[in-house]
Amino acid sequence: MTDTPTTLVTATGDSAGKTAITVALARLAADRDRSVGYMKPKGTRLQSNVGKTLDQDPMLAREVLGLDAEMHQMEPVVYSPTFVEGAIRGTEDPAALRDRIREEYDDIAADNDQVFVEGGGSWTTGGVVDLTDVDVAELLDARVVLVAEYGSPNDLDEVLAAADAFGDRLVGVVFNKVSDDAFESLDQDGIPFLESKGITVFGAIPHEKSLAGVTVGELADELGAELLTDAPTDAFVERFLVGAMGGDEALRYFRRARDAAVITGGDRADVQTAALEASGVACLVLTGGHRPSGAVLGKAADAGKPVLAVNTDTVTAIDRAEEVVRGGRTRDVRTVDRMAELLGDHVDVDALV
């Protein structure tokens, strides 16, 4: 085992911004003339690529950091649904998996001044093969940074549970995606409370639209949707609402929305009209391959709102759309650049790298 300083970035839940923070921290360390390595022992964000199922996060890290390591080194375990099914049937050997991770880690660590390890999913992911992030931190002798979201004091339960599990390996917490509404509560009460429990908080990164959501144009590309209007497609979408109720009820529902896309059947003119009247709705996604009426398209043009049409059914469209937004924009160099700036502005980077 090498003695290369190693930082494991884990999270209280999926989609907390772990990838952007891990890769940005590695880049900030590299900017200080250190050679850095990266690995994600459990590949959880999977897509099939040229016959192989790979995690997109190591691919991004390799691009941003200019790494030479092979994908099988950076992602020793492909934590797919098939893998998990096999594990619970006893076809995976936890000891062999640990050996594989440690072997690949040793190769990466031997060539670098510092290694950044990204956890998989949440900190509890991997339990079926005794490879939660707690186990990985122990295996690689890593110090741990916990990424957490904060909307209300209830979210501190998750932070305390993780802190208890990681014990002395936890060096501190970074809060991410903190809304303006929640910031005061976190600053005045949440952080002092955690510090009273001996938990260091390195900082809190504000909610940033360009990282949390995708533009309507990006959503259209990812869904393979046809654009039925000429409206601008640069508005951000952070959530989806399903239009399955009557027009009056839909209007009340949509008026509470912010930065939302409404997904509804292409034949539901009442719901489409209600969505176009709500200021927080950024676009319409119409399913089933139906074209809306000329009246709806005219209303959309007047409101300057894009209308997207997909051939899939509503349930499939929702699943795909939520996957797109959950991934956010962590998958490109611009996102890492922006996260590096946010870390510099809001977090004690010196303590982290």
Side-chain angles (χ1 to χ4, degrees):
M1 194 71 166
T2 69
D3 56 2
T4 306
T6 299
T7 301
L8 169 67
V9 180
T10 187
T12 51
D14 281 327
S15 308
K18 193 170 64 262
T19 302
I21 288 173
T22 308
V23 180
L25 284 174
R27 215 197 65 196
L28 289 165
D31 289 347
R32 297 170 184 218
D33 294 326
R34 292 182 206 163
S35 63
V36 298
Y38 165 97
M39 83 183 293
K40 184 176 182 181
K42 296 165 297 194
T44 49
R45 195 173 178 281
L46 303 172
Q47 67 170 21
S48 291
N49 191 359
V50 202
K52 290 182 180 176
T53 302
L54 296 172
D55 189 302
Q56 291 172 280
D57 299 335
M59 291 190 262
L60 175 72
R62 191 159 67 169
E63 178 191 355
V64 171
L65 302 170
L67 302 177
D68 296 328
E70 298 291 331
M71 285 299 295
H72 70 83
Q73 287 181 291
M74 293 195 289
E75 181 201 291
V77 176
V78 178
Y79 202 77
S80 65
T82 309
F83 172 90
V84 174
E85 284 167 13
I88 62 176
R89 291 187 190 123
T91 60
E92 298 293 341
D93 177 1
L97 295 172
R98 292 168 75 86
D99 288 346
R100 187 192 312 165
I101 289 172
R102 187 147 73 183
E103 192 177 315
E104 302 297 5
Y105 165 82
D106 284 343
D107 282 352
I108 290 171
D111 297 332
N112 290 293
D113 300 326
Q114 197 166 356
V115 179
F116 289 86
V117 177
E118 181 181 345
S122 75
W123 65 272
T124 58
T125 301
V128 296
V129 283
D130 298 328
L131 276 175
T132 66
D133 284 352
V134 177
D135 299 317
V136 172
E138 194 71 31
L139 179 67
L140 306 182
D141 192 24
R143 59 185 215 140
V144 176
V145 174
L146 177 70
V147 179
E149 293 184 58
Y150 183 89
S152 75
N154 290 1
D155 294 327
L156 298 181
D157 286 345
E158 281 286 342
V159 176
L160 291 171
D164 189 46
F166 284 103
D168 292 343
R169 289 196 177 279
L170 182 72
V171 291
V173 180
V174 173
F175 284 99
N176 190 27
K177 305 183 186 178
V178 182
S179 69
D180 292 345
D181 297 344
F183 211 94
E184 188 177 347
S185 160
L186 176 61
D187 188 50
Q188 300 295 313
D189 300 319
I191 292 174
F193 170 77
L194 290 175
E195 290 179 338
S196 76
K197 299 277 188 187
I199 299 169
T200 301
V201 177
F202 291 122
I205 299 168
H207 176 85
E208 169 104 349
K209 271 190 185 180
S210 65
L211 299 185
V214 293
T215 66
V216 173
E218 288 165 341
L219 178 64
D221 288 345
E222 292 284 349
L223 295 179
E226 182 187 355
L227 274 165
L228 304 181
T229 55
D230 291 331
T233 57
D234 54 356
F236 277 93
V237 172
E238 293 184 33
R239 56 190 61 81
F240 295 94
L241 305 175
V242 183
M245 65 293 281
D248 292 343
E249 189 188 344
L251 185 54
R252 288 195 297 276
Y253 175 52
F254 298 150
R255 278 185 174 148
R256 296 196 295 270
R258 257 191 343 198
D259 303 316
V262 169
I263 300 181
T264 191
D267 54 351
R268 292 296 306 272
D270 54 341
V271 173
Q272 296 158 18
T273 302
L276 293 169
E277 288 174 9
S279 62
V281 171
C283 71
L284 274 177
V285 179
L286 306 184
T287 61
H290 300 284
R291 290 188 75 84
S293 67
V296 167
L297 287 176
K299 194 172 184 68
D302 291 343
K305 291 187 179 180
V307 178
L308 284 56
V310 295
N311 289 322
T312 55
D313 61 75
T314 302
V315 172
T316 305
I318 292 161
D319 288 347
R320 180 72 192 108
E322 288 191 331
E323 193 182 305
V324 172
V325 164
R326 230 186 1 257
R329 281 267 304 286
T330 324
R331 313 303 157 208
D332 62 27
V333 177
R334 286 173 301 166
T335 307
V336 177
D337 290 344
R338 182 65 187 126
M339 180 55 80
E341 289 172 9
L342 289 166
L343 286 166
D345 291 343
H346 300 282
V347 172
D348 183 356
V349 171
D350 289 337
L352 286 170
V353 304

